[in-house]
Amino acid sequence: MATAAVGPMAAEEAEEALGLFTGIGLSEAKARETLVRREILTDLQLSAALEYVRTHPLEPLDTADFEQACGVGVCVTPEQIEEAVEAVISEHRAELLAERYRFNMGLLMGEARSRLRWADGKTIKNEVDLQVLHLLGPKTEADLEKKPKAAKARPAPAEKQKATVVENGEVGTETRSLLEQLRGEALKFHKPGENYKTEGYVVTPNTMALLKQHLAVTGGQVRTRFPPEPNGILHIGHAKAINFNFGYAKANGGVCFLRYDDTNPEKEEEKYFTAIREMVEWLGYQPYAVTHASDYFDQLYTWALELIRRGHAYVCHQKVEEIKGHNPPPSPWRDRPVEESLLLFEDMRKGKFGEGEATLRMKLIMEDGKMDPVAYRVKFTPHHRTGDKWCIYPTYDYTHCLCDSIEHITHSLCTKEFQARRSSYFWLCNALDVYCPVQWEYGRLNLLYTVVSKRKIIQLVETGAVRDWDDPRLFTLTALRRRGFPPEAINNFCARVGVTVAQATMEPHLLEACAREVLNEQAPRAMAVLEPLKVTITNFPAPKALEVLVPNFPADESRGFHKVPLQPTIYIEETDFREEVDKGYKRLAPGQPVGLRHAGYIIAVQNIIKDASGHVIELEVTCTKSAVAEKPKAFIHWVSEPLVCEVRLYERLFLHKNPEDPSEVPGGFLSDLNPDSLRVVRNALVDSSVLSARPFDKFQFERLGYFSVDPDSEEGKLVFNRTVTLKEDPGKV
């Protein structure tokens, strides 16, 4: 491996390292001897140096041994990391292509690390993720299916065995619950109070004392947080974040905060605060506490002053457009005197600068190359909670880690795009000498055939393509609830996707399959007819209506029955009758009787009545008890004395998988709308068992699908949304 010599530590870094060495009991003289003329530059080298000193506390310093143990003088370039990872992937290319994301990526990491001992682990991991993604493309549903295990000599206990699930004709494999995936050592996360054992975590002279204070506050309990911005409605991607944050805490006996990141007052509305909490609770989670970033504005401001005093922040006057991108020019105000920045920051707070005329910036370079991120900016917008008290507001880069510190969060779980901010997260806490949590990243969850960005959903609403944020064709959580998706189905979907580091892009049918599994157990059966055809039973066997008992759940009659009337006049689906019989057709036709589901009768066509245009408008039939008749080829659903209702049938909102991709949809996502995404049946018929149904009640309409009562329902006119269709046998016609 080629190496390059590097310059010595900067004075500030050397003093910090000196403090670390003396903080573990090494004499100052020996610590200085350790650092003088040394070239320890990286956290990895520093950790190795600390470990060396810990394990050789009483021995005279062996310079050569120390330098070899610490990688003194070694500098690993990005090009070397790229080449090493490329070589490792090349060696395993065939296996990667065969196994795809089931391949043990840790093997690639380990082999690359063995070639470049002093390379930064996070950088190697990022390079592995990038090259694997380039080779294999995004994850598919097939990549996320559980890898079948080889048969063992001794069977596993019954409760541990994987079982094949067949639901409405769809076959899947049960996966571990999310809590099982998150419990204990499953994720290799650090234990509370052992933050310093995490790779890349920066240890300072005060770290151990701060961790001791942290444990005194938390009692060693896991603490997580879900920190949404209250400027839009949560979507399916947020469901994974909710499940991960609340689920990890729950699985490990901890607590989770719901913290609103309310630092952009011009975009925040009360309805979003309410809807976010409703959705968290709808998914089955209760926050340990509901907090706001604005709860800590006073403390954050005090810390900003301290950051300036310590020489870690300055007031800058570069315009927003000047500091955008990855290679902006350095600020000419970066080295302005501390006292000057303190006065100017106070002027910012007093409203003496206009918006965009001044910002407070932190002195650091982030992992993505971004230099000196903004900590505070001027906004003359009243805040929904603090009113006109502030005209400066903190940014995410400044607020996030400090709010985590204040709340003593143990595991700050973020989507992977925030990985580039991990170094700034550690830096800021340490720059202020406050407790520093650990940030862990996981992959985002995306769905095909949809858009989830707030800006684009607003465009859909404003153009009339959808009604609002809760339109059942969207994949916001409020929309999924309105369509009838049970929260358990969404949680199960997140569990099936799994706790992945790589981004997962899924097709909607996996979510629909999860809904069918839950609704099959939860939704009582009813009968409804969408396109009614009148049928008159000419030999009705009783002088008045018969009562038919229909099981709420045919597979488990212990869960009760409901009664429906059977009159001489019933209604069936138009599509359940044909005048001419095709090969394989099994339903009602002249000379081909059918059974009426649950009724115990078989009907046979005697007469077909048509209107002037030749359209069939009524059938006259005779009935025979099932016990004395030949078994028919099929049984159909029907209604008698029904309720008139409205039924809304939903399909995908977009025609292409990636409506935002210009290569797929050159005209933009608004040009990709499916004209058949909604069909409204205004005079459908449903049996009277649903008369007392309330919004969000769910039913399986036999042979049609799963349906949920819409909030638009009124007295005397129920409205149903089709959640998902039934998965019928391919040969059924």
Side-chain angles (χ1 to χ4, degrees):
M1 179 188 71
T3 60
V6 293
M9 264 190 179
E12 290 181 6
E13 294 169 323
E15 286 303 314
E16 182 178 3
L18 177 64
L20 289 171
F21 287 173
T22 56
I24 61 170
L26 192 64
S27 70
E28 184 171 343
K30 187 170 183 178
R32 290 193 181 278
E33 180 189 356
T34 303
L35 290 171
V36 172
R37 295 185 301 276
R38 305 292 176 254
E39 296 170 331
I40 298 173
L41 291 176
T42 68
D43 291 337
L44 194 61
Q45 290 173 324
L46 189 56
S47 296
L50 287 167
E51 184 61 27
Y52 184 92
V53 173
R54 286 190 186 99
T55 55
H56 300 74
L58 302 176
E59 303 171 19
L61 183 68
D62 183 330
T63 303
D65 189 43
F66 173 80
E67 290 184 348
Q68 183 178 4
C70 303
V72 169
V74 177
C75 178
V76 182
T77 66
E79 290 77 15
Q80 288 175 303
I81 293 175
E82 183 178 349
E83 290 171 4
V85 172
E86 188 174 333
V88 170
I89 287 180
S90 178
E91 291 176 7
H92 295 279
R93 181 183 176 87
E95 300 152 90
L96 271 165
L97 291 173
E99 297 185 35
R100 290 182 59 79
Y101 287 96
R102 291 174 175 171
F103 185 82
N104 179 11
M105 301 300 172
L107 179 63
L108 305 180
M109 286 276 297
E111 290 190 13
R113 191 63 178 270
S114 67
R115 297 176 186 223
L116 300 172
R117 178 185 173 190
W118 297 109
D120 179 64
K122 296 192 297 293
T123 307
I124 290 180
K125 186 177 185 308
N126 291 345
E127 187 62 33
V128 168
D129 288 345
L130 185 67
Q131 291 197 29
V132 168
L133 181 65
H134 181 72
L135 176 65
L136 304 180
K139 281 192 175 184
T140 65
E141 301 96 286
D143 292 322
L144 295 168
E145 289 177 2
K146 196 72 175 175
K147 186 176 181 179
K149 294 183 178 180
K152 295 182 180 180
R154 289 172 56 187
E159 64 270 19
K160 296 294 184 182
Q161 291 179 356
K162 301 298 178 188
T164 299
V165 179
V166 181
E167 186 57 57
N168 291 319
E170 184 156 312
V171 180
T173 301
E174 288 183 345
T175 58
R176 291 183 303 156
S177 73
L178 192 70
L179 293 188
E180 289 176 314
Q181 295 179 52
L182 296 173
R183 188 171 290 124
E185 301 292 323
L187 293 179
K188 308 300 180 186
F189 285 173
H190 70 284
K191 295 178 181 177
E194 296 184 355
N195 305 30
Y196 59 89
K197 292 186 177 180
T198 306
E199 185 176 0
Y201 190 83
V202 180
V203 180
T204 73
N206 291 332
T207 293
M208 302 314 291
L210 290 167
L211 288 174
K212 186 176 180 181
Q213 295 169 13
H214 161 70
L215 288 172
V217 171
T218 66
Q221 187 179 47
V222 166
R223 286 190 173 197
T224 62
R225 82 290 167 271
F226 174 57
E229 295 179 71
N231 58 7
I233 298 296
L234 302 182
H235 55 71
I236 187 66
H238 290 113
K240 180 177 179 180
I242 292 169
N243 271 279
F244 198 6
N245 280 282
F246 282 91
Y248 183 73
K250 183 177 181 180
N252 295 282
V255 296
C256 183
F257 291 72
L258 169 59
R259 184 204 308 144
Y260 295 108
D261 183 16
D262 56 343
T263 57
N264 287 303
E266 72 274 15
K267 297 180 179 179
E268 293 156 4
E269 295 182 43
E270 186 58 38
K271 68 177 182 180
Y272 298 137
F273 286 85
T274 303
I276 287 170
R277 182 164 185 177
E278 281 182 0
M279 290 300 99
V280 168
E281 293 178 350
W282 177 64
L283 288 177
Y285 297 107
Q286 283 294 329
Y288 169 71
V290 178
T291 60
H292 305 73
S294 57
D295 295 339
Y296 312 120
F297 276 178
D298 288 324
Q299 179 63 68
L300 294 172
Y301 176 74
T302 300
W303 276 338
L305 294 174
E306 182 62 22
L307 204 63
I308 297 171
R309 292 190 190 102
R310 295 186 179 205
H312 295 314
Y314 63 96
V315 172
C316 177
H317 304 288
Q318 284 180 296
K319 303 297 181 187
V320 174
E321 49 274 13
E322 291 181 69
I323 60 177
K324 276 186 176 179
H326 288 289
N327 295 298
S331 171
W333 294 279
R334 195 174 199 265
D335 297 318
R336 75 188 329 160
V338 166
E339 290 303 321
E340 186 177 323
S341 281
L342 285 170
L343 289 171
L344 291 170
F345 189 51
E346 179 66 12
D347 288 343
M348 287 173 60
R349 189 185 69 81
K350 291 179 177 178
K352 293 184 179 181
F353 288 103
E355 293 189 11
E357 291 181 358
T359 58
L360 182 70
R361 296 176 67 181
M362 298 176 282
K363 290 184 181 179
L364 78 148
I365 299 175
M366 300 174 71
E367 286 172 305
D368 61 357
K370 183 180 178 183
M371 186 174 182
D372 294 359
V374 172
Y376 271 87
R377 70 276 202 223
V378 177
K379 286 180 180 290
F380 291 105
T381 305
H383 192 276
H384 73 287
R385 298 185 74 239
T386 60
D388 294 321
K389 179 178 179 179
W390 300 94
C391 65
I392 56 172
Y393 292 98
T395 61
Y396 176 91
D397 286 325
Y398 179 77
T399 307
H400 183 61
C401 62
L402 295 180
C403 288
D404 282 353
S405 179
I406 291 169
E407 294 176 352
H408 284 275
I409 300 304
T410 58
H411 299 76
S412 182
L413 307 175
C414 306
T415 46
K416 202 171 180 189
E417 64 264 31
F418 293 101
Q419 186 168 334
R421 288 166 161 156
R422 189 195 284 193
S423 61
S424 68
Y425 185 105
F426 293 158
W427 176 88
L428 183 52
C429 290
N430 292 329
L432 288 167
D433 268 335
V434 298
Y435 162 69
C436 183
V438 179
Q439 176 176 306
W440 294 94
E441 299 87 17
Y442 59 92
R444 287 174 63 95
L445 169 59
N446 297 319
L447 274 188
L448 299 173
Y449 296 102
T450 191
V451 297
V452 294
S453 91
K454 298 160 190 169
R455 181 176 59 84
K456 287 177 177 155
I457 291 177
I458 288 171
Q459 285 181 262
L460 290 169
V461 174
E462 289 177 346
T463 57
V466 298
R467 292 174 58 181
D468 207 337
W469 291 81
D470 66 348
D471 187 295
R473 290 167 289 182
L474 296 174
F475 283 88
T476 61
L477 294 184
T478 51
L480 290 170
R481 178 178 65 170
R482 184 167 189 169
R483 184 159 171 171
F485 280 82
E488 299 90 341
I490 295 171
N491 294 343
N492 292 349
F493 174 63
C494 292
R496 286 194 178 187
V497 172
V499 185
T500 56
V501 176
Q503 176 174 295
T505 301
M506 313 300 294
E507 296 228 17
H509 69 72
L510 181 58
L511 175 60
E512 292 168 359
C514 291
R516 289 188 187 99
E517 290 177 6
V518 174
L519 290 170
N520 185 54
E521 297 297 321
Q522 291 185 356
R525 278 40 171 179
M527 291 189 287
V529 173
L530 304 187
E531 297 173 345
L533 175 60
K534 183 179 179 182
V535 176
T536 301
I537 302 174
T538 57
N539 66 334
F540 193 74
K544 60 179 182 178
L546 299 174
E547 275 191 347
V548 175
L549 285 178
V550 178
N552 295 325
F553 295 89
D556 183 4
E557 294 188 353
S558 68
R559 298 177 69 180
F561 293 79
H562 59 271
K563 296 176 182 178
V564 296
L566 175 61
Q567 292 271 27
T569 298
I570 64 172
Y571 297 87
I572 66 171
E573 292 284 357
E574 273 194 345
T575 53
D576 279 341
F577 170 74
R578 289 185 190 175
E579 287 190 77
E580 297 181 3
V581 177
D582 297 328
K583 184 178 180 181
Y585 178 75
K586 298 177 181 178
R587 286 165 281 165
L588 187 61
Q592 182 166 290
V594 295
L596 298 179
R597 289 177 71 85
H598 310 297
Y601 286 93
I602 294 169
I603 58 172
V605 176
Q606 300 300 313
N607 188 30
I608 301 170
I609 302 171
K610 301 180 180 181
D611 61 16
S613 64
H615 180 71
V616 177
I617 58 172
E618 184 181 350
L619 299 176
E620 291 181 344
V621 302
T622 56
C623 70
T624 309
K625 279 199 169 189
S626 302
V628 297
E630 184 180 345
K631 184 179 178 181
K633 293 181 179 179
F635 286 81
I636 62 174
H637 64 280
W638 53 275
V639 292
S640 185
E641 291 186 16
L643 306 174
V644 177
C645 64
E646 179 178 307
V647 174
R648 298 169 182 173
L649 305 173
Y650 296 100
E651 300 292 345
R652 288 172 178 161
L653 183 59
F654 295 99
L655 298 170
H656 290 82
K657 286 187 175 183
N658 300 290
E660 298 171 276
D661 185 347
S663 64
E664 272 192 55
V665 187
F669 74 100
L670 289 175
S671 70
D672 194 46
L673 293 169
N674 176 9
D676 300 317
S677 64
L678 171 60
R679 181 166 75 92
V680 179
V681 181
R682 301 197 183 278
N683 292 298
L685 304 177
V686 62
D687 72 50
S688 56
S689 68
V690 304
L691 179 61
S692 60
R694 296 291 177 262
F696 305 116
D697 284 352
K698 297 163 181 59
F699 300 90
Q700 185 197 102
F701 290 168
E702 297 198 34
R703 300 178 63 235
L704 296 179
Y706 294 99
F707 293 76
S708 178
V709 181
D710 190 87
D712 285 345
S713 298
E714 299 174 350
E715 189 72 30
K717 186 63 178 286
L718 290 170
V719 178
F720 291 93
N721 296 319
R722 184 173 67 191
T723 308
V724 288
T725 59
L726 293 176
K727 189 74 173 179
E728 296 188 346
D729 294 333
K732 190 173 181 179
V733 294

